[in-house]
Amino acid sequence: MMSWVTSACVGFARACAVVVVVMLVPAVWAAAVALGIWWGAANPWSWVAPLVLVCVGTLALSRPVCRMVRFLVAKWTATEIPAGYRQAPPVVRMSTGYWWNGFSYERTRRDALLDQRRRTRWSDPANWRDLRFTAIAPVTAGLASAVPPAAVTAAVLGFGRPELHMRLAGVLGAVVAIATAPYAWRSVRPVAVRFLRPSTAMALADRVDELTAQRADTTVAQAAEIRRIERDLHDGAQARLVGLGLSLATAEKLMATDPEQARALMREARLGATASLAELRELVRGINPPVLNERGLVDAVRAFALDSPLEVTVDADVRLRLDPPIESAVYFGVAELVTNAVKHARATRGRISLTRDAAALVVDVEDDGRGGAFAQDGGGLAGLRRRLAVFDGTLEITSPDGGPTRVRMMVPCESL
């Protein structure tokens, strides 16, 4: 009983919120009609002001109304509806001193931003989508959500009159309000999903921009990885191999005159060759760990956890096998998160969980460090988010000050 009362109260509040939001534009129209009627008898031009009020009010309120509906739907039902509004390009200062905003040149950055905002706002195709929604929502979700408030109003008016039929109308209104309150507001979700989604053309344009950015990030990451490999080879194995060659050449010259010194140089050369081989193996392991290729992601993560200075526990499905590119991206993502926990969070314990959720791989990395982690521009977490985005993956960070930190990676995939 209490749960039903709570559901009815929450539903009534939500229905009222939906009515207030979606009826803002019709309220402007009603105000314009009332203004025209009031001025109609005295002024033959009285229709001008109501027309201006309707046009300006509708254009000004359409986008805020749609944003508020998206916010309410996301908060109440966890359904994210992409906005799909056109994004303005960055404002760039040219060598001539003028500012280019993607449309025109302006003398100051402020003028360039104002002109860009105006052009982007009024040339956005999403304006027509928002206007369509403000016309459809009042007669669909608005009317359905208005049933509980209207029934409560009828109940209050009925109970306030002594006549029997009014009392019966009040009882009927109360019953209707209680019965419909938990469900009336739910009509806003399908209407918003149907009419507020970006159009196919806009979705494709956003996807092209996203793929272009991902390609640029991938190119930068590959160039940085190549530079790292070249630096490691130059400073490590290459230097040791050069020294090995010099030692062998010197030993060859001393073989006839000082065999003992030649043997000492050869022993040093053997040790140098062993160290070079170890460095090369470590470099190869950093590029693509052999255990990842041979035994898969789960065993590779467990092997990494054993070598970590943290006390890390790994929970995973041993049967999990994925495409090699996805396994590699997830493995190095886990390695980066654990390394960050050691270097920056001062953590002592960690936990790694690898599970399947429908058609997605879900990886949770937790530590008991001091928290405060966030994906800042140019940082490691932002780079990890971009690398996962190549596979349509996501990165969620929960890290309050004082800890603990929990990072969730989700990558759509099909298990092999």
Side-chain angles (χ1 to χ4, degrees), residues 8 45 68 70 74 79 84 103 124 132 151 185 243 281 294 305 345 352 358 379 383 388 399 407:
W45 293 94
M68 182 58 68
R70 289 191 192 91
T79 302
F103 302 98
D124 194 344
R132 180 186 63 179
W185 65 271
R281 286 175 175 171
E294 298 170 2
I352 303 172
L388 292 177
S399 182
V407 181

Side-chain angles (χ1 to χ4, degrees), residues 43-80:
N43 188 352
W45 293 94
S46 59
W47 59 272
V48 176
L51 180 62
V52 172
L53 179 60
V54 167
C55 295
V56 174
T58 302
L59 292 175
L61 290 175
S62 60
R63 184 164 292 189
V65 165
C66 294
R67 285 176 171 168
M68 182 58 68
V69 169
R70 289 191 192 91
F71 171 77
L72 294 178
V73 171
K75 184 177 181 180
W76 295 341
T77 67
T79 302
E80 296 289 341

Side-chain angles (χ1 to χ4, degrees), residues 95-113:
S95 59
T96 58
Y98 284 82
W99 293 83
W100 172 250
N101 60 12
F103 302 98
S104 63
Y105 295 96
E106 302 293 339
R107 291 183 177 273
T108 64
R109 185 174 185 273
R110 178 177 176 275
D111 292 340
L113 289 174

